[in-house]
């Protein structure tokens, strides 16, 4: 493929080197505490290396959108039910996000699978955070599934979205202990504390350093 600076990448390699500050679009569906952590990191100063240019959601009336509004970041909501098909929604989301010319799209608690048209436009530039240690416990209920299985260590995973469910090339992971007496909510909150720190660290490094993904080997390199 040809990356934006026009240099040919070897086959199977996706490379991106954003110009500073990297343009970031964040997608949310709920409370948006991961979004807030990114907003706070950007506000802490230009050393972060990225700027959140828009926040998108798949629903209205959520705290994530309020956080964007309070921070003065352009925000929009596109609901699947307002489109004739899932594909039309996916294309509308692609077109809306494209208006902001992002270097990086961060799915931060966005509870929808991004479709083929979206990923064709932004493939290799979309990351997601999952509240479990991949490849264990993919899907919507990572903390509950980890608790039900009885693992003693779980955690969170930040990865490049490749089209499956929580299964793309891994960028970073953090471990979190399951404690006696944990219920799903207590465990998920402890994971989210680690998740926010990991996401801020990863997004900052991607923004500042750029990245290479070797799709065949599932290896992500930050130079
Ligand atoms: C995070 O744990 C994310 O991984 C998950 O949903 C949670 C979103 O939290 N899928 P928030 O909206 O960022 O507070």
């Amino acid at each position: 493929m040809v990356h934006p600076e026009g240099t040919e990448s070897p086959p199977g390699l996706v490379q991106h080197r954003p110009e500073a500050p990297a343009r970031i679009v964040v997608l949310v569906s709920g409370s948006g505490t991961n979004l807030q952590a990114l907003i706070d990191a950007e506000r802490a100063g230009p050393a972060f290396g990225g700027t959140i240019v828009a926040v998108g959601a798949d629903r209205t009336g959520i705290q994530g959108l309020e956080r964007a509004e309070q921070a003065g970041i352009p925000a929009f909501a596109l609901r699947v039910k307002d489109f004739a098909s899932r594909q039309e929604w996916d294309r509308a989301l692609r077109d809306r996000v494209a208006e902001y010319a992002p270097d990086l799209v961060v799915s931060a608690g966005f509870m929808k699978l991004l479709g083929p048209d979206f990923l064709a436009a932004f493939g290799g530039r979309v990351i997601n955070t999952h509240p479990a240690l991949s490849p264990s416990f993919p899907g919507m209920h990572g903390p509950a599934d980890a608790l039900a299985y009885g693992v003693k260590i779980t955690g969170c995973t930040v990865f490049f979205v490749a089209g499956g469910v929580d299964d793309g090339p891994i960028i970073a992971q953090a471990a979190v202990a399951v404690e006696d007496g944990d219920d799903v909510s207590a465990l998920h909150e402890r994971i989210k504390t680690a998740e926010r720190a990991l996401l801020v660290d990863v997004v900052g490094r991607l923004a500042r350093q750029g990245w290479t993904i070797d799709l065949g080997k599932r290896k992500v390199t930050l130079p």
Side-chain angles (χ1 to χ4, degrees), residues 64-89:
L65 286 172
E66 281 170 31
R67 291 178 191 276
E69 198 179 319
Q70 276 164 18
I73 301 168
F76 61 88
L78 295 176
R79 302 183 305 178
V80 172
K81 66 180 178 189
D82 293 333
F83 293 85
S85 67
R86 185 72 182 229
Q87 186 184 43
E88 280 192 24
W89 170 81

mmCIF file of all heavy atoms in Angstrom, residues 64-89:
data_model
loop_
_atom_site.group_PDB
_atom_site.id
_atom_site.type_symbol
_atom_site.label_atom_id
_atom_site.label_comp_id
_atom_site.label_asym_id
_atom_site.label_seq_id
_atom_site.Cartn_x
_atom_site.Cartn_y
_atom_site.Cartn_z
ATOM 1 N N GLY A 64 -20.266 10.130 27.286
ATOM 2 C CA GLY A 64 -19.126 10.309 26.388
ATOM 3 C C GLY A 64 -19.299 11.537 25.505
ATOM 4 O O GLY A 64 -18.355 12.305 25.300
ATOM 5 N N LEU A 65 -20.513 11.740 24.986
ATOM 6 C CA LEU A 65 -20.766 12.916 24.135
ATOM 7 C C LEU A 65 -20.728 14.198 24.963
ATOM 8 O O LEU A 65 -20.257 15.234 24.496
ATOM 9 C CB LEU A 65 -22.102 12.769 23.408
ATOM 10 C CG LEU A 65 -22.111 11.755 22.254
ATOM 11 C CD1 LEU A 65 -23.535 11.556 21.727
ATOM 12 C CD2 LEU A 65 -21.180 12.175 21.117
ATOM 13 N N GLU A 66 -21.218 14.119 26.204
ATOM 14 C CA GLU A 66 -21.148 15.299 27.087
ATOM 15 C C GLU A 66 -19.706 15.687 27.364
ATOM 16 O O GLU A 66 -19.362 16.867 27.416
ATOM 17 C CB GLU A 66 -21.827 15.004 28.428
ATOM 18 C CG GLU A 66 -23.330 15.084 28.398
ATOM 19 C CD GLU A 66 -23.934 14.546 29.686
ATOM 20 O OE1 GLU A 66 -23.297 14.672 30.753
ATOM 21 O OE2 GLU A 66 -25.028 13.977 29.605
ATOM 22 N N ARG A 67 -18.873 14.700 27.547
ATOM 23 C CA ARG A 67 -17.453 14.986 27.820
ATOM 24 C C ARG A 67 -16.822 15.707 26.630
ATOM 25 O O ARG A 67 -16.022 16.635 26.797
ATOM 26 C CB ARG A 67 -16.696 13.687 28.100
ATOM 27 C CG ARG A 67 -17.070 13.014 29.404
ATOM 28 C CD ARG A 67 -16.283 11.707 29.523
ATOM 29 N NE ARG A 67 -16.745 10.856 30.595
ATOM 30 C CZ ARG A 67 -16.384 10.940 31.874
ATOM 31 N NH1 ARG A 67 -15.534 11.877 32.238
ATOM 32 N NH2 ARG A 67 -16.849 10.101 32.774
ATOM 33 N N ALA A 68 -17.192 15.270 25.414
ATOM 34 C CA ALA A 68 -16.659 15.925 24.217
ATOM 35 C C ALA A 68 -17.124 17.372 24.162
ATOM 36 O O ALA A 68 -16.338 18.295 23.915
ATOM 37 C CB ALA A 68 -17.112 15.167 22.970
ATOM 38 N N GLU A 69 -18.423 17.546 24.420
ATOM 39 C CA GLU A 69 -18.995 18.894 24.372
ATOM 40 C C GLU A 69 -18.309 19.803 25.388
ATOM 41 O O GLU A 69 -17.915 20.926 25.074
ATOM 42 C CB GLU A 69 -20.488 18.793 24.678
ATOM 43 C CG GLU A 69 -21.283 20.003 24.244
ATOM 44 C CD GLU A 69 -22.752 19.816 24.569
ATOM 45 O OE1 GLU A 69 -23.258 18.686 24.370
ATOM 46 O OE2 GLU A 69 -23.366 20.767 25.050
ATOM 47 N N GLN A 70 -18.133 19.292 26.611
ATOM 48 C CA GLN A 70 -17.483 20.099 27.656
ATOM 49 C C GLN A 70 -16.057 20.466 27.289
ATOM 50 O O GLN A 70 -15.543 21.501 27.692
ATOM 51 C CB GLN A 70 -17.488 19.347 28.984
ATOM 52 C CG GLN A 70 -18.791 19.539 29.739
ATOM 53 C CD GLN A 70 -18.986 18.518 30.847
ATOM 54 O OE1 GLN A 70 -18.034 17.876 31.278
ATOM 55 N NE2 GLN A 70 -20.224 18.378 31.286
ATOM 56 N N ALA A 71 -15.417 19.605 26.512
ATOM 57 C CA ALA A 71 -14.030 19.872 26.120
ATOM 58 C C ALA A 71 -13.960 20.706 24.842
ATOM 59 O O ALA A 71 -12.867 21.021 24.362
ATOM 60 C CB ALA A 71 -13.288 18.548 25.929
ATOM 61 N N GLY A 72 -15.137 21.011 24.262
ATOM 62 C CA GLY A 72 -15.149 21.815 23.040
ATOM 63 C C GLY A 72 -14.708 21.047 21.808
ATOM 64 O O GLY A 72 -14.217 21.636 20.832
ATOM 65 N N ILE A 73 -14.901 19.734 21.827
ATOM 66 C CA ILE A 73 -14.508 18.897 20.688
ATOM 67 C C ILE A 73 -15.748 18.609 19.836
ATOM 68 O O ILE A 73 -16.794 18.220 20.386
ATOM 69 C CB ILE A 73 -13.894 17.565 21.184
ATOM 70 C CG1 ILE A 73 -12.664 17.834 22.059
ATOM 71 C CG2 ILE A 73 -13.528 16.658 20.011
ATOM 72 C CD1 ILE A 73 -12.174 16.599 22.816
ATOM 73 N N PRO A 74 -15.666 18.774 18.512
ATOM 74 C CA PRO A 74 -16.821 18.445 17.658
ATOM 75 C C PRO A 74 -17.269 17.001 17.889
ATOM 76 O O PRO A 74 -16.425 16.101 17.977
ATOM 77 C CB PRO A 74 -16.281 18.611 16.229
ATOM 78 C CG PRO A 74 -15.073 19.482 16.368
ATOM 79 C CD PRO A 74 -14.519 19.246 17.742
ATOM 80 N N ALA A 75 -18.581 16.806 18.009
ATOM 81 C CA ALA A 75 -19.087 15.460 18.306
ATOM 82 C C ALA A 75 -20.302 15.164 17.442
ATOM 83 O O ALA A 75 -21.036 16.076 17.046
ATOM 84 C CB ALA A 75 -19.451 15.361 19.783
ATOM 85 N N PHE A 76 -20.507 13.897 17.153
ATOM 86 C CA PHE A 76 -21.666 13.495 16.349
ATOM 87 C C PHE A 76 -22.127 12.114 16.785
ATOM 88 O O PHE A 76 -21.355 11.338 17.374
ATOM 89 C CB PHE A 76 -21.311 13.484 14.853
ATOM 90 C CG PHE A 76 -20.222 12.519 14.492
ATOM 91 C CD1 PHE A 76 -20.516 11.196 14.182
ATOM 92 C CD2 PHE A 76 -18.895 12.922 14.464
ATOM 93 C CE1 PHE A 76 -19.519 10.294 13.853
ATOM 94 C CE2 PHE A 76 -17.886 12.023 14.137
ATOM 95 C CZ PHE A 76 -18.202 10.719 13.830
ATOM 96 N N ALA A 77 -23.410 11.816 16.510
ATOM 97 C CA ALA A 77 -23.943 10.480 16.789
ATOM 98 C C ALA A 77 -24.622 9.961 15.525
ATOM 99 O O ALA A 77 -25.408 10.676 14.900
ATOM 100 C CB ALA A 77 -24.937 10.536 17.937
ATOM 101 N N LEU A 78 -24.303 8.749 15.157
ATOM 102 C CA LEU A 78 -24.966 8.073 14.040
ATOM 103 C C LEU A 78 -25.522 6.758 14.566
ATOM 104 O O LEU A 78 -24.749 5.876 14.968
ATOM 105 C CB LEU A 78 -23.964 7.814 12.900
ATOM 106 C CG LEU A 78 -23.384 9.041 12.198
ATOM 107 C CD1 LEU A 78 -22.332 8.617 11.169
ATOM 108 C CD2 LEU A 78 -24.472 9.846 11.518
ATOM 109 N N ARG A 79 -26.862 6.649 14.586
ATOM 110 C CA ARG A 79 -27.491 5.462 15.146
ATOM 111 C C ARG A 79 -27.824 4.467 14.037
ATOM 112 O O ARG A 79 -28.414 4.864 13.016
ATOM 113 C CB ARG A 79 -28.761 5.849 15.893
ATOM 114 C CG ARG A 79 -28.485 6.862 17.006
ATOM 115 C CD ARG A 79 -29.736 7.181 17.774
ATOM 116 N NE ARG A 79 -30.824 7.645 16.915
ATOM 117 C CZ ARG A 79 -32.040 7.955 17.360
ATOM 118 N NH1 ARG A 79 -32.313 7.823 18.641
ATOM 119 N NH2 ARG A 79 -32.956 8.371 16.524
ATOM 120 N N VAL A 80 -27.496 3.207 14.252
ATOM 121 C CA VAL A 80 -27.753 2.183 13.231
ATOM 122 C C VAL A 80 -29.222 2.210 12.819
ATOM 123 O O VAL A 80 -29.557 2.101 11.633
ATOM 124 C CB VAL A 80 -27.359 0.781 13.760
ATOM 125 C CG1 VAL A 80 -27.810 -0.303 12.798
ATOM 126 C CG2 VAL A 80 -25.851 0.691 13.995
ATOM 127 N N LYS A 81 -30.112 2.395 13.795
ATOM 128 C CA LYS A 81 -31.552 2.302 13.484
ATOM 129 C C LYS A 81 -32.037 3.433 12.574
ATOM 130 O O LYS A 81 -33.128 3.364 12.029
ATOM 131 C CB LYS A 81 -32.379 2.245 14.761
ATOM 132 C CG LYS A 81 -32.350 3.495 15.603
ATOM 133 C CD LYS A 81 -33.234 3.281 16.837
ATOM 134 C CE LYS A 81 -33.176 4.504 17.738
ATOM 135 N NZ LYS A 81 -33.820 4.308 19.013
ATOM 136 N N ASP A 82 -31.248 4.468 12.398
ATOM 137 C CA ASP A 82 -31.640 5.559 11.498
ATOM 138 C C ASP A 82 -31.222 5.292 10.050
ATOM 139 O O ASP A 82 -31.421 6.153 9.183
ATOM 140 C CB ASP A 82 -31.022 6.878 11.970
ATOM 141 C CG ASP A 82 -31.618 7.330 13.303
ATOM 142 O OD1 ASP A 82 -32.773 6.958 13.578
ATOM 143 O OD2 ASP A 82 -30.920 8.031 14.064
ATOM 144 N N PHE A 83 -30.620 4.131 9.797
ATOM 145 C CA PHE A 83 -30.163 3.795 8.437
ATOM 146 C C PHE A 83 -30.891 2.550 7.953
ATOM 147 O O PHE A 83 -31.337 1.717 8.760
ATOM 148 C CB PHE A 83 -28.643 3.580 8.437
ATOM 149 C CG PHE A 83 -27.901 4.863 8.721
ATOM 150 C CD1 PHE A 83 -27.681 5.291 10.020
ATOM 151 C CD2 PHE A 83 -27.480 5.685 7.674
ATOM 152 C CE1 PHE A 83 -27.040 6.498 10.289
ATOM 153 C CE2 PHE A 83 -26.846 6.887 7.931
ATOM 154 C CZ PHE A 83 -26.626 7.298 9.243
ATOM 155 N N ALA A 84 -30.982 2.434 6.633
ATOM 156 C CA ALA A 84 -31.735 1.316 6.053
ATOM 157 C C ALA A 84 -31.035 -0.016 6.302
ATOM 158 O O ALA A 84 -31.682 -1.067 6.364
ATOM 159 C CB ALA A 84 -31.918 1.548 4.553
ATOM 160 N N SER A 85 -29.728 0.009 6.433
ATOM 161 C CA SER A 85 -28.998 -1.238 6.654
ATOM 162 C C SER A 85 -27.736 -0.945 7.451
ATOM 163 O O SER A 85 -27.298 0.201 7.558
ATOM 164 C CB SER A 85 -28.594 -1.874 5.313
ATOM 165 O OG SER A 85 -27.637 -1.038 4.670
ATOM 166 N N ARG A 86 -27.161 -1.999 7.957
ATOM 167 C CA ARG A 86 -25.899 -1.876 8.702
ATOM 168 C C ARG A 86 -24.798 -1.328 7.789
ATOM 169 O O ARG A 86 -23.952 -0.543 8.195
ATOM 170 C CB ARG A 86 -25.545 -3.275 9.226
ATOM 171 C CG ARG A 86 -24.351 -3.348 10.112
ATOM 172 C CD ARG A 86 -24.615 -2.743 11.473
ATOM 173 N NE ARG A 86 -23.396 -2.800 12.252
ATOM 174 C CZ ARG A 86 -23.310 -3.256 13.485
ATOM 175 N NH1 ARG A 86 -24.367 -3.676 14.114
ATOM 176 N NH2 ARG A 86 -22.150 -3.256 14.117
ATOM 177 N N GLN A 87 -24.843 -1.749 6.520
ATOM 178 C CA GLN A 87 -23.827 -1.280 5.569
ATOM 179 C C GLN A 87 -23.949 0.226 5.337
ATOM 180 O O GLN A 87 -22.941 0.931 5.269
ATOM 181 C CB GLN A 87 -23.957 -2.031 4.247
ATOM 182 C CG GLN A 87 -22.821 -1.683 3.293
ATOM 183 C CD GLN A 87 -22.976 -2.347 1.940
ATOM 184 O OE1 GLN A 87 -24.073 -2.387 1.375
ATOM 185 N NE2 GLN A 87 -21.888 -2.878 1.418
ATOM 186 N N GLU A 88 -25.175 0.710 5.245
ATOM 187 C CA GLU A 88 -25.353 2.164 5.050
ATOM 188 C C GLU A 88 -24.847 2.935 6.253
ATOM 189 O O GLU A 88 -24.259 4.008 6.136
ATOM 190 C CB GLU A 88 -26.819 2.494 4.766
ATOM 191 C CG GLU A 88 -27.185 2.215 3.334
ATOM 192 C CD GLU A 88 -28.529 2.803 2.967
ATOM 193 O OE1 GLU A 88 -28.976 3.774 3.610
ATOM 194 O OE2 GLU A 88 -29.140 2.264 2.020
ATOM 195 N N TRP A 89 -25.096 2.385 7.441
ATOM 196 C CA TRP A 89 -24.584 3.028 8.665
ATOM 197 C C TRP A 89 -23.046 3.046 8.639
ATOM 198 O O TRP A 89 -22.418 4.064 8.934
ATOM 199 C CB TRP A 89 -25.086 2.262 9.896
ATOM 200 C CG TRP A 89 -24.423 2.697 11.171
ATOM 201 C CD1 TRP A 89 -24.742 3.797 11.912
ATOM 202 C CD2 TRP A 89 -23.329 2.058 11.834
ATOM 203 N NE1 TRP A 89 -23.900 3.876 13.011
ATOM 204 C CE2 TRP A 89 -23.036 2.826 12.985
ATOM 205 C CE3 TRP A 89 -22.577 0.903 11.581
ATOM 206 C CZ2 TRP A 89 -22.015 2.483 13.877
ATOM 207 C CZ3 TRP A 89 -21.566 0.557 12.462
ATOM 208 C CH2 TRP A 89 -21.298 1.344 13.589
#
